[in-house]
Amino acid sequence: MGTGKVYLVGAGPGDIGLITVKGLEAIKQAEVILYDRLANPKLLEFVPADCELIYCGKLPERHILRQENINDLLVKKAQEGKMVVRLKGGDPGVFGRVGEEAEALAKHQIPFEIVPGITSGIAAPLYAGIPVTHREHAESFAVITAHDKSEDGKPVLNWDSLARGIDTIAFYMGVRNLPFICENLIAYGKPSNTPVILIQWGTFGRQKTLQGTLADISDKVKEAKFSNPAIILVGPVISLREKMKWFENKPLYGRQIILARTSESPSDLAKELAAQGADVIEFPKWKRITLPVNPEILAKIDSYDQILFTSPESVDEFFNILYENQFDIRRIRAELFGVSNKSLKALRERGFIPLPADEMSVMGKRLVVCDTQWEKDENADVWLTSEKVLDSQFFPIFRRIFDDAVINTVVFPNSASVEPFMRGLRECGIHLMENVQIVSMGKKTMNAVMKQGLPVSEMPKQATKEALVELLASKPIGIM
């Protein structure tokens, strides 16, 4: 067994669209991932099904894994021949302790690569409408750690250079030391009316800001009970914010949505909601277990008049089985049908012209190809290609996601999503269906929701993503 390789990857500041192409490719190939609290857990959706996930998250004064243990784990997993990804929030070289991890790997002669990421000190201000440099306002920029290894955690800095020589300063994770920071900047010459802004959970839909000056921001933070994770930005360039803010103007900014999921892959609906400014968590996470090929059905595939596919995954599995068994698909004479738009799309991508399920005839010999248990049909054979089950490895990940988020909206896209969603919550040990707005995409879905004993506030005029966005944008959070 040869030595593996380690990729030290910057996950970016939160918005998963900000990860680099190279970083995402490393995640998709990983056999082991060690990930931090501030690396968006939604990036783990892209990992292979058999990837081992190890949480290394840290909170002040409470470490899940200490740095030396993380170093040892990276070495150990690589020595087992694994392809290992160390996934770190922001950029690994900006207060990410990548130097210590790289040194440990080099000491044991383990190959590694460092993949840069977008650091939050630049990204969070931009999502708040503030460039850290500007020809008229700021020609210099500094990133500063707002705590150090000393007993009281107060950083020892060259305050004179910061106060007099730097136009824009980004302090990382410094809410607790904010009074100390403001006092020193003023004492060393920074005007007390210098603008300051705190940006919490920057680039997430839950992003919040609090603005003031060096003179009053500490009192404002105390009154608002503002907390980390947050970037503290100091400098006159903050004055551009009212002209340039864009993220907070999105129609669904502030919405923290759970979208009930029945598929393994990310949905177009989730992408659209996120594009409109919402935080979107697709729940639960599924994995599939391949089942043995049904030889009796395989032997008579060319005898069916109609074949119905219940999911895009069942389409892929069906044709993969035919290919592996050297079956010429030109022998299929059946009309092909799909239960969902995704199923129809998967068939079209293979060169077929399928029809919706409701256009099936009652006449003829019929086969249903499915990846979950299907209601019995006396007039059809059923071919179960795989079994879809809840992925329990993601249960603790979802618990951490929900601890950080404040969910205010739950969307059920179809009736089939309701029961598995509620079962997933029970198995995860998560309780969040109180004080949330519930939206059903259609009457059939609404009936399924009510059957579970849940209240339904409203449903969009049509079961489309555009109509859903319009509904959510027209209703203040908390009022449906």
Side-chain angles (χ1 to χ4, degrees):
M1 179 178 64
T3 301
K5 187 172 182 177
V6 176
Y7 288 82
L8 305 164
V9 176
D15 182 341
I16 64 170
L18 297 180
I19 192 169
T20 63
V21 172
K22 187 170 184 177
L24 186 59
E25 286 303 311
I27 290 171
K28 289 179 178 179
Q29 299 173 42
E31 295 175 280
V32 181
I33 290 188
L34 288 78
Y35 66 100
D36 280 348
R37 176 188 176 223
L38 295 181
N40 192 334
K42 289 166 68 175
L43 289 168
L44 302 178
E45 296 275 354
F46 297 97
V47 306
D50 56 352
C51 180
E52 181 183 3
L53 305 177
I54 301 173
Y55 182 54
C56 305
K58 300 176 183 178
L59 289 169
E61 302 174 356
R62 178 159 59 89
H63 289 200
I64 302 297
L65 284 177
R66 293 202 159 274
Q67 187 61 53
E68 55 268 27
N69 301 129
I70 295 171
N71 297 349
D72 292 343
L73 259 178
L74 291 172
V75 171
K76 177 176 180 291
K77 295 297 180 180
Q79 287 176 336
E80 292 173 1
K82 303 286 181 63
M83 197 284 218
V84 183
V85 168
R86 174 73 171 105
L87 192 61
K88 309 167 80 70
D91 181 275
V94 181
F95 311 126
R97 304 185 73 170
V98 74
E100 297 167 55
E101 294 169 357
E103 284 181 301
L105 296 169
K107 179 181 177 182
H108 290 85
Q109 298 183 316
I110 290 169
F112 65 89
E113 290 188 28
I114 302 175
V115 182
I118 298 175
T119 186
S120 57
I122 296 173
L126 283 173
Y127 269 55
I130 306 165
V132 293
T133 64
H134 189 282
R135 291 179 66 182
E136 296 179 9
H137 299 275
E139 295 182 345
S140 56
F141 168 61
V143 293
I144 307 292
T145 181
H147 60 272
D148 63 14
K149 296 189 294 182
S150 63
E151 187 174 335
D152 61 5
K154 291 183 171 58
V156 178
L157 303 170
N158 187 334
W159 292 103
D160 184 61
S161 295
L162 283 177
R164 299 179 186 275
I166 304 297
D167 296 320
T168 308
I169 312 170
F171 290 94
Y172 284 56
M173 307 294 280
V175 174
R176 186 174 66 176
N177 285 334
L178 183 59
F180 174 78
I181 291 167
C182 293
E183 288 166 11
N184 276 279
L185 288 175
I186 293 171
Y188 282 86
K190 209 79 163 167
S192 60
N193 63 351
T194 301
V196 181
I197 189 169
L198 275 73
I199 309 162
Q200 182 188 63
W201 289 111
T203 80
F204 283 88
R206 73 192 78 150
Q207 175 178 301
K208 290 183 180 180
T209 58
L210 184 64
Q211 196 166 340
T213 66
L214 285 175
D216 63 17
I217 191 65
S218 295
D219 290 336
K220 288 185 175 183
V221 165
K222 186 176 181 181
E223 183 180 346
K225 298 180 179 178
F226 217 79
S227 61
N228 285 320
I231 288 292
I232 302 166
L233 199 71
V234 180
V237 75
I238 294 169
S239 63
L240 296 173
R241 169 172 155 76
E242 288 309 310
K243 296 179 184 176
M244 293 182 54
K245 67 177 181 179
W246 58 275
F247 184 57
E248 294 159 50
N249 295 336
K250 289 195 170 192
L252 299 187
Y253 170 74
R255 286 274 176 189
Q256 297 188 51
I257 300 172
I258 298 183
L259 180 63
R261 174 165 58 182
T262 57
S263 174
E264 290 176 278
S265 56
S267 74
D268 290 339
L269 180 56
K271 292 177 184 175
E272 179 63 23
L273 294 171
Q276 298 301 326
D279 263 345
V280 185
I281 302 165
E282 294 185 77
F283 177 88
K285 178 75 167 62
W286 298 94
K287 67 178 181 180
R288 58 186 58 246
I289 301 169
T290 302
L291 298 176
V293 176
N294 187 322
E296 294 181 7
I297 290 180
L298 183 62
K300 57 182 181 180
I301 284 292
D302 52 1
S303 69
Y304 291 100
D305 300 300
Q306 302 173 69
I307 301 178
L308 173 67
F309 295 89
T310 66
S311 70
E313 292 83 6
S314 66
V315 172
D316 292 338
E317 290 164 354
F318 175 83
F319 286 103
N320 288 341
I321 290 169
L322 296 189
Y323 174 77
E324 290 167 2
N325 286 273
Q326 298 185 325
F327 183 94
D328 189 340
I329 63 171
R330 290 174 295 184
R331 290 168 52 190
I332 297 176
R333 61 181 181 84
E335 283 191 288
L336 306 185
F337 297 83
V339 166
S340 64
N341 288 331
K342 283 187 175 182
S343 305
L344 294 169
K345 182 181 177 183
L347 288 166
R348 290 191 199 102
E349 288 174 348
R350 291 183 175 271
F352 297 98
I353 303 177
L355 296 170
D358 57 12
E359 294 187 24
M360 292 183 70
S361 169
V362 294
M363 306 297 293
K365 192 174 180 182
R366 186 187 310 164
L367 172 67
V368 177
V369 182
C370 53
D371 53 17
T372 54
Q373 294 294 340
W374 188 255
E375 292 182 12
K376 289 186 178 181
D377 184 342
E378 295 179 359
N379 300 315
D381 292 337
V382 175
W383 189 1
L384 194 64
T385 53
S386 66
E387 184 180 7
K388 191 168 62 176
V389 298
L390 294 172
D391 190 342
S392 59
Q393 184 175 212
F394 274 75
F395 287 179
I397 295 171
F398 280 119
R399 284 194 286 267
R400 282 191 290 273
I401 291 175
F402 294 149
D403 282 345
D404 285 331
V406 181
I407 303 301
N408 49 48
T409 311
V410 176
V411 175
F412 291 102
N414 52 56
S415 59
S417 68
V418 180
E419 189 282 328
F421 176 86
M422 298 303 294
R423 176 159 43 94
L425 289 182
R426 289 193 297 271
E427 293 192 24
C428 255
I430 295 171
H431 306 280
L432 53 72
M433 296 307 288
E434 297 178 4
N435 303 316
V436 295
Q437 298 171 356
I438 300 173
V439 181
S440 298
M441 298 289 281
K443 291 183 179 179
K444 186 177 178 182
T445 306
M446 180 179 282
N447 291 335
V449 170
M450 294 175 69
K451 189 176 179 180
Q452 291 288 329
L454 299 173
V456 177
S457 300
E458 203 165 337
M459 65 181 182
K461 296 174 184 177
Q462 296 176 307
T464 64
K465 55 179 181 261
E466 294 81 9
L468 175 62
V469 170
E470 182 183 355
L471 170 69
L472 295 176
S474 67
K475 304 284 185 177
I477 296 172
I479 301 176
M480 287 291 280

